C-alpha cells in the first residue's frame, strides 16, 4: 500500500511531508533527519481546549489521492493559541468510517509560520472510492472526515453529483444550507468564492463579526476561525472533498490585481493581499502548488473526473486589469470594449483555452466567480451593466465565447457565484440578438447567507427575464445548486432555504434545469 511510484516526488520534490508519508520503524529516524535541531517538536503540547476547533477538510481529489487539511487552534479567535514551534501531527486514512482498516498513515509538521495548519497530499489511494481520515496529536484525536477520490484518468464514469456554493457572509445569516448539503449524496463540493467577508462589525444582523475590517495576517486568521466556528460549515467540509477558489472578499471588496477599493498604493495593497492569500491557503484544503509566494497564489487549476467531466477552476481577481469603467452598475464606457481589459490575464486565458481544446471530457466546466452572461438592468432609457463582472470586460468575454464557438469543446458549462442570486442563462454568440447561436450554458448559484433571507419574487424575476431574453431563470433565495452529470444530460437542482435569519429552515428544490448532451442551453424540467 505504501510503495511510491517513480516520479512521485517530481511535483512536490521539496515537500518534506512526502518524505514522512508511510508507516514503519524508520519513520522517526527519517523525521529526525529531515527536521534537524529544534525544527521538529518531540512531544505534543497539553491542550487546554480542543485543538481541532476548526474541523477537518479534504480537497482537490485526484484518482490516487486527496489533500487532507486541519489546523491546530485551541484558541481559534485569538491567534490560535499554539506554541511557536513545530508540532508533529499524525494522519491516518481508512477504508471504513470507524477507522479500523487503515490504508495510509504518516506524520506531518504543523508549522507556526502557517498557523499550525497541515496540508497532507495523500497518494497511493484507489480511484473512485470513499475514504475516511483522522488526525492525532499526542492523545488528541480529530473528528473523522470523509472524502472521495476521483475516477481513474480517462475511465468511463456514468455519474457525478456535486454541489456548488459561494458567498457565506457570517453576519448575514446561518449556514443552514450547509447542514442540508452535508446530508446530500454528493461526490464533491465546489466553492466559488467569498468564503469570508473582510468587513468590520455591523450591528443588528443575525450574527456578528469578531473585529473591525481585517487587514493583517492575524486579522485574517481570526476571521477564518470565526467562519469555521460554524458547525454546519465544518460538517459540510467533513462530509465531502471540496474544490475551492476565491473571489474578492477573501481580500477586499472588488479588488482588481494590485488595486483595492480605496485607492491604496498598490505596493501597500500587495502586502495586504499577501496576508490574505496566506490565511486563505492556511484554511483551505489546497495542494502545495497553491502555497502563496508573497502576494502571488496559484489557484487556477484543472481537475478531471474520468471521461465525464473536467473542471477548469479559475481566478478572476489576481490577474485582472482594473474595472475599465470603474465599479458599480452603470452604462458602459468605451474602455469596456478594450481588448486589453482582462479578467483572467493573458497566461491564465491561454491555459484555459488550451485546456478546453485538449479536453476529452463530456462536460467541460468553468468553475469561476463572475456573471458571464450579459445582464442588463433597464432603468428608464439607460442600460446598466455590472462593471465588476464579465459585462465590464466585453472583449475578453467575446474572445472566450468566440473560441468556444469556433473550437466547440464538448458541452461547455459555466458555474458562477458572486451575485447572491440564482440564474440560468444561455451564453450567446450575440447577446443583443436573441436568435443568435447559444454557445454554452451558465448556471449562477446564489449565496449561502450573503444578503440575508432574500426572496422569491416573481415580479422581479419577470422583469429580469424580459430585459434579458437569454436568461431562463431568476430567484433571490439562499442555498446552493446540486448538479447531476450523466453522459447524456446535466441536471441542475436549485436548492433553497426559506430563511437564514434563524437556524433550522428546511430546504426545497425551487427549480430544476436540464442540459442535453450536445445542445448548449438549459431547459426547465
Ligand atoms: Fe459575495
Ligand atoms: Ca464577490
Amino acid at each position: 500500500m505504501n510503495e511510491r511510484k517513480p516520479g512521485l516526488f517530481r511535483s512536490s520534490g521539496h515537500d518534506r511531508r512526502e518524505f514522512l508519508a508511510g508507516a514503519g520503524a524508520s519513520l522517526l529516524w527519517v523525521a529526525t533527519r529531515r527536521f534537524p535541531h529544534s525544527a521538529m517538536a518531540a512531544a505534543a503540547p497539553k491542550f487546554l481546549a480542543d485543538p481541532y476547533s476548526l474541523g477537518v477538510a479534504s480537497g482537490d481529489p485526484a484518482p490516487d489521492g486527496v489533500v487532507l487539511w486541519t489546523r491546530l487552534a485551541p484558541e481559534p479567535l485569538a491567534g490560535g493559541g499554539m506554541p511557536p514551534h513545530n508540532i508533529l501531527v499524525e494522519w491516518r486514512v481508512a477504508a471504513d468510517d470507524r477507522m479500523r482498516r487503515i490504508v495510509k498513515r504518516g506524520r506531518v509538521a504543523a508549522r507556526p509560520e502557517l498557523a499550525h495548519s497541515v496540508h497532507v497530499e495523500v497518494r497511493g489511494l484507489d480511484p473512485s472510492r470513499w475514504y475516511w481520515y483522522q488526525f492525532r496529536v499526542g492523545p488528541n484525536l480529530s473528528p473523522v472526515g470523509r472524502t472521495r477520490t476521483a475516477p481513474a484518468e480517462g475511465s468511463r464514469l456514468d455519474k457525478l453529483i456535486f454541489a456548488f456554493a459561494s458567498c457565506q457572509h457570517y453576519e448575514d445569516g446561518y449556514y443552514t444550507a450547509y447542514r442540508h448539503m452535508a446530508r446530500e449524496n454528493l461526490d464533491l463540493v465546489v466553492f466559488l468564492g467569498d468564503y469570508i467577508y473582510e468587513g468590520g462589525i455591523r450591528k443588528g444582523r443575525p450574527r456578528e463579526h469578531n473585529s473591525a475590517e481585517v487587514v493583517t495576517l492575524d486579522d485574517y486568521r481570526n476571521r477564518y476561525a470565526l467562519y469555521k466556528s460554524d458547525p454546519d460549515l465544518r460538517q459540510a467540509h467533513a462530509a465531502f472533498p471540496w474544490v475551492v477558489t476565491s473571489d474578492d472578499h477573501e481580500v477586499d471588496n472588488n479588488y482588481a490585481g494590485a488595486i483595492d477599493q480605496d485607492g491604496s498604493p498598490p505596493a501597500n495593497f500587495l502586502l495586504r493581499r499577501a496576508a490574505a492569500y496566506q490565511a486563505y491557503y492556511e484554511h483551505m484544503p489546497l495542494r502545495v502548488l497553491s502555497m502563496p509566494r508573497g502576494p502571488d497564489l496559484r489557484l487556477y487549476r484543472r481537475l478531471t473526473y474520468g471521461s465525464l467531466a473536467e473542471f477548469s477552476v479559475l481566478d478572476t481577481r489576481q490577474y485582472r486589469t482594473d474595472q475599465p469603467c470603474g465599479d458599480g452598475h452603470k452604462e458602459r464606457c468605451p474602455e469596456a470594449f478594450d481588448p486589453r481589459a482582462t479578467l483572467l490575464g493573458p497566461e491564465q486565458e491561454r491555459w484555459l483555452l488550451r485546456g478546453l481544446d485538449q479536453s476529452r471530457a463530456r462536460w467541460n466546466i468553468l468553475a469561476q466567480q463572475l456573471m458571464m452572461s450579459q445582464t442588463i438592468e433597464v432603468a428608464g432609457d439607460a442600460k446598466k451593466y455590472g462593471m465588476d463582472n464579465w459585462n465590464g470586460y466585453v472583449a475578453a468575454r467575446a474572445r472566450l465565447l468566440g473560441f468556444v464557438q469556433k473550437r466547440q469543446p464538448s458541452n461547455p458549462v459555466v458555474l458562477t457565484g458572486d451575485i447572491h442570486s440564482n440564474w440560468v442563462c444561455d451564453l450567446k454568440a450575440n447577446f443583443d440578438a436573441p436568435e443568435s447561436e447559444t454557445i454554452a450554458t451558465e448556471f449562477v448559484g446564489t449565496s449561502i447567507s450573503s444578503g440575508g433571507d432574500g426572496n422569491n419574487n416573481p415580479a422581479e424575476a419577470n422583469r429580469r427575464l424580459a430585459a434579458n431574453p437569454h436568461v431562463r431563470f431568476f430567484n433571490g433565495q439562499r442555498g446552493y445548486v446540486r448538479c447531476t452529470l450523466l453522459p447524456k444530460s446535466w441536471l441542475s437542482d436549485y436548492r433553497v432555504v426559506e430563511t437564514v435569519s434563524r437556524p433550522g429552515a428546511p430546504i426545497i428544490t425551487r427549480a430544476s434545469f436540464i442540459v442535453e448532451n450536445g445542445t448548449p442551453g438549459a431547459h426547465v424540467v
Side-chain angles (χ1 to χ4, degrees):
M1 272 301 193
N2 280 324
E3 56 305 279
R4 301 184 176 108
K5 290 187 214 131
L8 180 70
F9 298 111
R10 200 171 299 148
S11 62
S12 55
H14 303 292
D15 179 16
R16 289 173 176 176
R17 285 174 287 192
E18 285 293 343
F19 253 92
L20 298 176
S26 63
L27 187 78
L28 252 179
W29 180 82
V30 173
T32 314
R33 203 173 62 119
R34 299 299 303 181
F35 294 87
H37 312 301
S38 60
M40 177 65 84
K46 275 210 172 66
F47 295 111
L48 299 173
D50 178 16
Y52 305 105
S53 58
L54 308 180
V56 298
S58 69
D60 278 23
D64 67 338
V66 292
V67 181
L68 307 181
W69 174 92
T70 195
R71 181 190 157 206
L72 305 176
E75 291 176 57
L77 301 180
M82 292 292 290
H85 53 252
N86 290 359
I87 302 294
L88 195 64
V89 179
E90 294 177 54
W91 57 269
R92 300 185 301 160
V93 176
D96 64 306
D97 62 348
R98 302 173 82 177
M99 300 301 296
R100 296 249 170 92
R101 282 180 290 138
I102 303 297
V103 297
K104 287 279 166 194
R105 68 202 312 161
R107 298 182 186 199
V108 59
R111 298 164 176 277
E113 58 268 32
L114 287 174
H116 294 96
S117 63
V118 301
H119 301 75
V120 181
E121 295 192 32
V122 183
R123 307 263 172 129
L125 301 180
D126 293 332
S128 277
R129 276 203 55 177
W130 287 108
Y131 288 100
W132 287 260
Y133 60 93
Q134 191 173 31
F135 299 93
R136 188 169 79 93
V137 178
N140 301 90
L141 281 168
S142 79
V144 174
R146 188 182 65 158
T147 192
R148 187 171 171 82
T149 48
E153 203 183 314
S155 68
R156 191 193 147 127
L157 178 65
D158 293 326
K159 196 182 206 178
L160 170 67
I161 310 181
F162 71 90
F164 71 92
S166 62
C167 294
Q168 48 192 36
H169 200 301
Y170 184 85
E171 295 188 314
D172 282 1
Y174 292 89
Y175 298 163
T176 312
Y178 279 136
R179 196 180 192 81
H180 295 291
M181 187 195 281
R183 295 187 193 127
E184 300 256 21
N185 174 26
L186 308 174
D187 299 300
L188 181 72
V189 172
V190 177
F191 190 82
L192 300 177
D194 291 357
Y195 193 96
I196 59 159
Y197 283 72
E198 80 283 15
I201 298 165
R202 281 195 274 176
K203 298 274 181 195
R205 299 199 193 182
R207 305 196 281 192
E208 234 172 60
H209 270 160
N210 52 341
S211 69
E213 181 162 346
V214 294
V215 178
T216 67
L217 179 55
D218 284 348
D219 293 342
Y220 281 107
R221 284 172 172 167
N222 290 337
R223 184 57 59 89
Y224 278 96
L226 175 72
Y227 278 56
K228 283 179 179 281
S229 73
D230 185 286
D232 296 338
L233 174 60
R234 291 202 307 275
Q235 219 187 331
H237 273 297
F240 312 108
W242 284 39
V243 172
V244 300
T245 186
S246 74
D247 191 24
D248 53 337
H249 289 289
E250 284 88 347
V251 184
D252 183 45
N253 179 48
N254 285 5
Y255 80 95
I259 299 162
D260 74 358
Q261 193 180 25
D262 310 315
S264 306
N268 290 51
F269 177 62
L270 286 178
L271 294 174
R272 181 181 183 186
R273 198 176 94 177
Y277 283 179
Q278 180 172 339
Y280 182 72
Y281 175 75
E282 288 169 353
H283 292 87
M284 295 296 133
L286 288 164
R287 292 187 181 273
V288 173
L289 167 80
S290 296
M291 167 114 61
R293 287 161 193 258
D296 303 321
L297 170 73
R298 173 68 188 259
L299 262 188
Y300 68 86
R301 61 202 190 278
R302 199 164 278 126
L303 288 96
T304 306
Y305 272 72
S307 59
L308 191 60
E310 186 157 285
F311 294 86
S312 294
V313 181
L314 304 185
D315 176 346
T316 54
R317 288 287 163 195
Q318 188 175 178
Y319 313 105
R320 72 153 78 185
T321 50
D322 200 10
Q323 287 87 355
C325 310
D327 222 335
H329 281 74
K330 54 175 85 160
E331 292 183 69
R332 264 184 200 136
C333 65
E335 288 76 15
F337 299 90
D338 186 337
R340 286 167 303 180
T342 173
L343 279 176
L344 298 174
E347 205 178 312
Q348 183 180 195
E349 186 173 319
R350 275 196 301 276
W351 168 89
L352 172 63
L353 301 187
R354 206 185 316 124
L356 288 174
D357 228 15
Q358 290 170 355
S359 167
R360 286 177 292 161
R362 178 62 55 92
W363 301 96
N364 285 286
I365 302 150
L366 274 60
Q368 58 99 51
Q369 296 78 7
L370 303 163
M371 178 64 105
M372 190 174 286
S373 169
Q374 177 168 289
T375 44
I376 304 173
E377 286 173 32
V378 182
D381 289 337
K383 287 180 176 176
K384 295 190 175 184
Y385 303 84
M387 288 299 151
D388 183 58
N389 62 40
W390 289 90
N391 280 286
Y393 298 74
V394 183
R397 178 174 66 193
R399 218 161 41 233
L400 173 56
L401 292 178
F403 178 90
V404 170
Q405 184 179 24
K406 186 164 143 231
R407 303 293 301 178
Q408 305 216 331
S410 178
N411 297 309
V413 177
V414 176
L415 306 182
T416 301
D418 180 53
I419 57 166
H420 311 168
S421 42
N422 286 313
W423 305 65
V424 176
C425 312
D426 291 347
L427 293 170
K428 305 293 284 186
N430 179 358
F431 288 103
D432 295 316
E435 71 284 0
S436 75
E437 189 185 343
T438 298
I439 299 171
T441 315
E442 181 175 27
F443 292 112
V444 183
T446 187
S447 64
I448 289 289
S449 58
S450 304
D453 284 341
N455 58 50
N456 183 44
N457 179 344
E460 185 186 2
N462 289 338
R463 184 168 55 75
R464 291 186 189 274
L465 266 58
N468 302 282
H470 49 274
V471 173
R472 308 252 168 235
F473 174 64
F474 173 86
N475 161 270
Q477 291 174 293
R478 306 297 156 230
Y480 55 88
V481 184
R482 182 181 63 202
C483 303
T484 305
L485 280 61
L486 309 175
K488 282 185 173 167
S489 63
W490 169 310
L491 177 69
S492 286
D493 296 308
Y494 280 80
R495 308 276 280 157
V496 299
V497 292
E498 204 68 45
T499 179
V500 294
S501 311
R502 302 176 306 281
I507 197 153
I508 59 160
T509 298
R510 171 58 67 199
S512 296
F513 284 83
I514 199 160
V515 185
E516 304 288 354
N517 173 39
T519 311
H523 302 277
V524 71
V525 177

